[in-house]
Amino acid sequence: MLRRLKIGLAVLALVATPALAQRTDISVGMVLEPPNLDPTSGAAAAIREVTYSNIFEGLTRFGPDGSILPGLAHGWDVSDDGLTYTFPLREGVQFHDGTPFSAEDVVFSLERARAEDSTNAQKQLFAAIETVTALDPLTVEVTLSQPQGAFLFNMAWGDAVIMSPASVASNATNPVGSGAFRFLRWVQGDRLELERNPDYWGEAPALERATFRFISDPSAAFAAMMAGDVDAFPNFPAPESLAQFEADPRFNVIVGSTEGETILSMNHQNPALADIRVRQAISHAINRQDIIDGAMFGYGTPIGSHFAPHHPDYLDLTANSPHDPEAARALLAEAGQEGLTLRLMLPPPTYARRGGEIVAAQLRAVGIATEITNLEWAQWLEQVFRGHDFDLTIISHTEPMDIGIYARDEYYFQYDSADMKAIMAELEVTSDPEARTALLHRAQRHIAEDFVVAFLFQLAKTGVANADIEGLWENAPVPANDLTGVRWAR
Amino acid sequence: MRRAPLTLWIGAALTGVFALAAVLSLLWTPYDVTAMNIGARLQAPNAQHWFGTDHFGRDVLSMIMVGARISIAVAVVAVGMGMVLGVPLGLLAAANRGGLVDEVIMRGNDLIFAFPALVIAILITAVFGPSAVNAIIAIGIFNTPVFARVARGGALSLWTLDYIRAAEVSGKGKLRISAEHILPNIANLLIVQGTIQFSLGILAEAALSYVGLGAQPPMPSWGRMLAEAQTMISFAPHLAILPGLAIVLTVLGLNLMGDGLRDSLDPKLRRAR
């Protein structure tokens, strides 16, 4: 009897094996939907969270640990004076529409990004470029006007990807890149699908199909994860549920760091907020740890300036703006701004919606009234980011090394400081590592001591994934969901 | 004196508890309803916080008391708005029964009825921004045809009665008859309908604030408390259960009260007893 049972089990196992074949599709949850799909003409991180490395590639790329890896260029050669970069390009690469990739595409893409009328959200990445020349179809030479230590790093950004002139006009809705996945369809408001690119130049990804699902409601995200509708949620919007996922063997909780400096941003065009005393008062009114605990259930690191704590050049400046309601009230009285009312515009992420309620309560405690308006993501981009129509907002700036935004007076918070511009301009032309560190320290101190915005916390990457998935990024050195190395273990 | 039905008493008691809590919240709540105490967050019900604390460390009992005020205020104003607009329309339609005015009013009513209420509420808040006031307007608009129909139906049966005929013969105008003779005699119908609409108004307010279109933070509201509690239900169930119970009990109370009022006010039922 026992033997028959064993044989029966063996047969069953044989029959069942095909059903246990590895899955080759994945469904990835995202809180924010990209407004379009062209990473070279939009600031929203969600664009790169879909396209980076999956659809579009640059000359170089970021590895999961933030290191710079070869991309479409399989290496680089830097001249001794640091002014000339020669990139040998990969052979046999073609875009998803069949157009062959060549040095001309690199010239086209970089020229387009740095052009006067470029709509690139990170034009400063290309500011040092003097010329871009195709030496032959597989070699590109870039000369810089001054040595730039961060040039290879800059070329790895999602904003510096290489596009084909043939498809550039339609990339916003039908992205055509050279990556391991090609665009299949985008059902706006619901999901976006990618499929494996059979003609990919590199190692074929393990996944055949990838679906990004857009779920901004935390409880819907929780339900989707629990029901298995979503296999991975790299930035899960309900940090309070992480403990529950952790206790469940079906899931892996992946907590890492991001480049997201979460700030209470202030509109410098508002006369009250143009007064440093008011900005300082707001900074003193804020209790960072309460926001991290109350909104993020403890996930996050307090910051006192716009710099990532895991970066070697980070300065801890949180002591510059400690929680001090008394000082805040005194500063407001001095500025003659008792009874100030400010509009607080909140985008959908949990850190903003919940953090906003806490910030409002903390501001109320020092006598600043706020009117909270919850905005949908597209509305926020339109009204706050492009329209500059806000007093206060909470947002996480997820690009790496983006302290330069404080030197751009046209940027949405419209901070205009000649000193900061001078520091950043000097940084551009400095390649000596020690001098760069000193400048980065100066920049961090400058914006902290000018209380440009209220610096809250470094966003943690709180991801949840099915326990059988391997290869998801633990940290987010750039906004990305790189699926090329993701596979099902079982 | 005739005894009022038991349901009326139970309903009135339930409603009274929440009405009392709402009035009391104007003068006193156990804690400041907007004061956050992150260190004391997510406490289960205990001696200091009878209903526990939420994820910001706010006192849930205080929030439910103020939430009762907001729910009741929104529902009262919205139902009032529906009555003020709907009853005259209904009376006008009945006075011109069969005529063009009647047709226009009643088909207009049908039109509003045909729209899903929540869709219009979302439209209103999309245009004017989410707020308690816009929730009142949205709920009020959808109460209007209900009262118009009830008023017209009640008035139609009265218009055939002899004393109305007598009033007409004595030279009173239609509007005057409607105001002096019809309205007082359909008042009981309107009160009963008002109680039921009131409970629906509370539900509608909860639904709107659940989807984020009602009262905005920091103003507490039952619907939003429920929405926020959803992801915490596994480790802080009191955050969902307590506001949920508040909604259920208030609505139940108002419905029982409506039933009881109908039983004791409706002349047909009165005669049958």
Side-chain angles (χ1 to χ4, degrees):
Chain A
M1 176 68 198
L2 191 66
R3 220 178 123 212
R4 272 175 71 183
L5 193 70
K6 272 184 184 162
I7 293 169
L9 278 175
V11 169
L12 201 69
L14 277 175
V15 172
T17 309
L20 294 172
Q22 283 165 349
R23 278 178 63 187
T24 55
D25 63 306
I26 193 172
S27 171
V28 177
M30 281 172 59
V31 173
L32 298 178
E33 179 167 13
N36 67 66
L37 297 172
D38 180 354
T40 64
S41 62
I47 304 174
R48 279 158 286 278
E49 285 175 8
V50 170
T51 61
Y52 190 76
S53 213
N54 297 331
I55 299 179
F56 290 112
E57 299 172 305
L59 291 173
T60 56
R61 54 171 297 210
F62 285 101
D65 55 354
S67 60
I68 305 298
L69 305 174
L72 285 173
H74 60 76
W76 48 80
D77 193 41
V78 190
S79 68
D80 291 337
D81 58 3
L83 287 175
T84 309
Y85 283 74
T86 313
F87 294 99
L89 305 179
R90 300 207 190 253
E91 265 179 87
V93 177
Q94 57 175 333
F95 289 100
H96 299 153
D97 60 358
T99 325
F101 160 80
S102 79
E104 287 306 322
D105 299 310
V106 179
V107 176
F108 165 78
S109 299
L110 296 184
E111 291 293 351
R112 173 173 170 265
R114 72 195 196 94
E116 201 60 38
D117 60 347
S118 158
T119 52
N120 199 295
Q122 311 290 347
K123 269 177 91 168
Q124 79 283 359
L125 297 176
F126 314 95
I129 298 179
E130 183 113 313
T131 61
V132 186
T133 325
L135 296 183
D136 63 59
L138 289 175
T139 316
V140 173
E141 185 185 83
V142 179
T143 61
L144 306 181
S145 53
Q146 70 236 354
Q148 189 182 38
F151 184 66
L152 292 171
F153 171 88
N154 287 357
M155 290 302 104
W157 280 47
D159 306 79
V161 294
I162 306 303
M163 293 177 168
S164 157
S167 48
V168 72
S170 55
N171 275 342
T173 49
N174 180 25
V176 173
S178 57
F181 293 93
R182 59 187 182 194
F183 172 76
L184 198 59
R185 74 176 66 85
W186 180 13
V187 183
Q188 293 209 355
D190 181 42
R191 66 183 193 277
L192 189 147
E193 294 174 25
L194 308 179
E195 64 177 356
R196 184 195 279 167
N197 171 11
D199 305 319
Y200 186 52
W201 56 267
E203 192 188 334
L207 298 172
E208 272 171 26
R209 263 293 177 79
T211 306
F212 289 98
R213 293 196 53 203
F214 309 116
I215 306 173
S216 64
D217 180 54
S219 40
F222 179 76
M225 207 59 227
M226 275 291 172
D229 294 342
V230 169
D231 301 311
F233 222 119
N235 290 295
F236 192 72
E240 63 273 26
S241 312
L242 292 178
Q244 198 178 343
F245 283 118
E246 204 139 27
D248 192 327
R250 290 179 297 156
F251 301 105
N252 258 346
V253 172
I254 312 157
V255 178
S257 62
T258 72
E259 298 295 323
E261 290 85 10
T262 311
I263 60 174
L264 172 64
S265 201
M266 308 182 196
N267 188 344
H268 284 246
Q269 289 297 311
N270 180 309
L273 294 172
D275 186 337
I276 183 174
R277 291 170 297 189
V278 175
R279 299 200 302 268
Q280 186 176 357
I282 292 175
S283 298
H284 282 311
I286 299 298
N287 181 339
R288 299 186 180 94
Q289 198 57 48
D290 271 4
I291 297 174
I292 294 171
D293 289 344
M296 306 308 289
F297 283 69
Y299 293 100
T301 314
I303 53 170
S305 187
H306 198 97
F307 220 72
H310 51 262
H311 194 283
D313 292 335
Y314 170 74
L315 275 186
D316 185 355
L317 295 170
T318 46
N320 185 58
S321 46
H323 177 54
D324 188 349
E326 279 309 313
R329 255 172 272 165
L331 282 161
L332 286 171
E334 197 189 315
Q337 289 289 5
E338 293 115 324
L340 181 64
T341 300
L342 296 169
R343 295 172 303 152
L344 175 57
M345 313 294 203
L346 301 176
T350 309
Y351 65 74
R353 291 279 166 91
R354 269 194 209 146
E357 280 198 62
I358 302 175
V359 163
Q362 292 175 349
L363 292 180
R364 197 159 47 238
V366 301
I368 299 175
T370 49
E371 288 165 11
I372 292 182
T373 309
N374 290 336
L375 296 176
E376 288 314 310
W377 184 229
Q379 273 180 304
W380 186 91
L381 286 171
E382 185 60 38
Q383 186 181 340
V384 177
F385 194 76
R386 277 192 288 275
H388 304 172
D389 178 16
F390 73 108
D391 298 330
L392 301 173
T393 187
I394 296 178
I395 192 73
S396 201
H397 291 256
T398 49
E399 290 76 23
M401 280 298 288
D402 53 355
I403 196 167
I405 56 178
Y406 294 89
R408 290 163 57 185
D409 55 45
E410 91 293 355
Y411 203 59
Y412 75 105
F413 45 69
Q414 301 162 85
Y415 175 59
D416 190 353
S417 153
D419 289 347
M420 189 63 191
K421 285 178 190 167
I423 296 172
M424 293 319 288
E426 204 182 331
L427 185 71
E428 280 297 312
V429 299
T430 308
S431 49
D432 173 51
E434 271 178 42
R436 285 184 68 85
T437 300
L439 282 168
L440 285 170
H441 284 177
R442 257 178 72 197
Q444 292 176 57
R445 273 209 198 87
H446 180 86
I447 54 172
E449 283 161 12
D450 212 11
F451 302 97
V452 181
V453 297
F455 303 99
L456 303 179
F457 62 91
Q458 193 73 16
L459 195 65
K461 187 170 158 89
T462 48
V464 182
N466 186 304
D468 294 336
I469 297 177
E470 290 175 349
L472 286 168
W473 285 14
E474 184 183 323
N475 300 315
V478 274
N481 289 308
D482 181 353
L483 299 177
T484 53
V486 174
R487 61 177 68 245
W488 288 87
R490 242 177 304 149
Chain B
M1 202 181 127
R2 197 169 41 86
R3 269 176 64 96
L6 184 65
T7 51
L8 179 59
W9 289 116
I10 297 174
L14 277 175
T15 313
V17 167
F18 286 98
L20 215 66
V23 172
L24 184 62
S25 77
L26 284 170
L27 309 168
W28 174 83
T29 52
Y31 290 84
D32 177 358
V33 74
T34 57
M36 295 183 182
N37 181 359
I38 305 287
R41 68 204 164 96
L42 294 171
Q43 287 181 6
N46 58 48
Q48 281 83 43
H49 298 278
W50 288 5
F51 283 9
T53 58
D54 76 349
H55 56 296
F56 293 145
R58 291 177 295 192
D59 180 58
V60 174
L61 176 58
S62 309
M63 291 175 77
I64 286 185
M65 285 171 70
V66 178
R69 185 171 90 217
I70 288 168
S71 286
I72 290 174
V74 167
V76 164
V77 178
V79 171
M81 183 176 143
M83 262 193 185
V84 167
L85 293 175
V87 171
L89 283 175
L91 290 176
L92 196 65
N96 298 287
R97 58 207 171 279
L100 181 65
V101 176
D102 184 20
E103 272 308 302
V104 170
I105 292 175
M106 294 324 288
R107 294 300 79 77
N109 272 342
D110 293 344
L111 197 70
I112 297 181
F113 260 128
F115 274 110
L118 205 59
V119 173
I120 293 294
I122 290 169
L123 185 77
I124 288 176
T125 50
V127 175
F128 300 106
S131 73
V133 174
N134 291 333
I136 289 174
I137 294 174
I139 300 169
I141 288 176
F142 285 94
N143 269 310
T144 305
V146 176
F147 284 104
R149 278 193 183 175
V150 170
R152 180 176 177 271
L156 277 184
S157 59
L158 294 181
W159 274 102
T160 60
L161 298 182
D162 291 344
Y163 74 97
I164 303 287
R165 285 279 158 79
E168 260 187 312
V169 169
S170 73
K172 281 190 179 178
K174 280 178 180 172
L175 294 182
R176 207 167 148 202
I177 293 174
S178 292
E180 285 180 6
H181 299 292
I182 308 266
L183 187 57
N185 282 298
I186 60 168
N188 52 357
L189 283 178
L190 295 176
I191 288 170
V192 171
Q193 193 64 40
T195 319
I196 288 162
Q197 288 310 114
F198 188 62
S199 74
L200 293 176
I202 286 193
L203 267 185
E205 192 276 336
L208 281 178
S209 44
Y210 178 82
V211 294
L213 300 176
Q216 294 297 297
M219 209 188 275
S221 107
W222 291 348
R224 194 149 37 74
M225 286 171 80
L226 269 184
E228 285 172 357
Q230 266 188 121
T231 55
M232 304 177 203
I233 199 159
S234 63
F235 53 89
H238 67 281
L239 289 182
I241 293 171
L242 292 169
L245 266 183
I247 296 172
V248 169
L249 291 180
T250 314
V251 171
L252 180 70
L254 283 165
N255 278 333
L256 288 177
M257 201 163 96
D259 278 356
L261 279 174
R262 192 190 56 220
D263 290 355
S264 52
L265 290 178
D266 193 321
K268 292 187 202 95
L269 286 173
R270 210 184 298 167
R271 240 173 276 131
R273 206 174 272 127

